[in-house]
């Protein structure tokens, strides 16, 4: 089994929507692109978007960790 993904492997980008005054976030992976977009939009502030993006990243990493643990357990 490979090493557990961490916050050092992924990061959150926050940007203002060009068509409005709202903000959005997107999770990116360093190195190889993820192949899917994980993002949220229509947030009132930069701080709200950053907080929502970090929460989503935590959930993503928790899910990856859980999936890896379950897969390793099934191999036994």
């Amino acid at each position: 089994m490979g090493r557990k993904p961490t916050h050092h492997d992924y990061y959150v980008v926050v940007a203002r929507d060009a068509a409005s005054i709202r903000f959005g976030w997107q999770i990116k992976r360093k190195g190889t692109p993820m192949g899917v977009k994980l993002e949220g939009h229509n947030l009132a502030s930069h701080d709200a978007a950053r907080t929502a993006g970090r929460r989503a990243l935590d959930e993503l990493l928790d899910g990856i960790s859980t999936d890896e643990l379950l897969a390793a357990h099934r191999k036994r």
Side-chain angles (χ1 to χ4, degrees), residues 2-69:
R3 69 179 183 79
K4 178 180 169 183
T6 68
H7 283 84
H8 298 289
D9 301 312
Y10 296 84
Y11 60 99
V12 176
V13 175
V14 175
R16 179 174 272 172
D17 183 356
S20 72
I21 60 170
R22 307 296 276 184
F23 289 84
W25 59 266
Q26 187 175 50
I27 295 174
K28 304 263 187 177
R29 180 171 54 191
K30 293 178 183 173
T32 307
M34 290 184 1
V36 297
K37 284 189 177 182
L38 299 175
E39 56 189 11
H41 299 280
N42 205 28
L43 293 139
S45 70
H46 186 275
D47 287 340
R50 185 180 65 227
T51 299
R54 286 180 178 170
R55 187 177 303 125
L57 178 55
D58 288 342
E59 290 174 10
L60 171 69
L61 293 175
D62 286 346
I64 289 171
S65 300
T66 300
D67 290 346
E68 285 183 350
L69 289 172

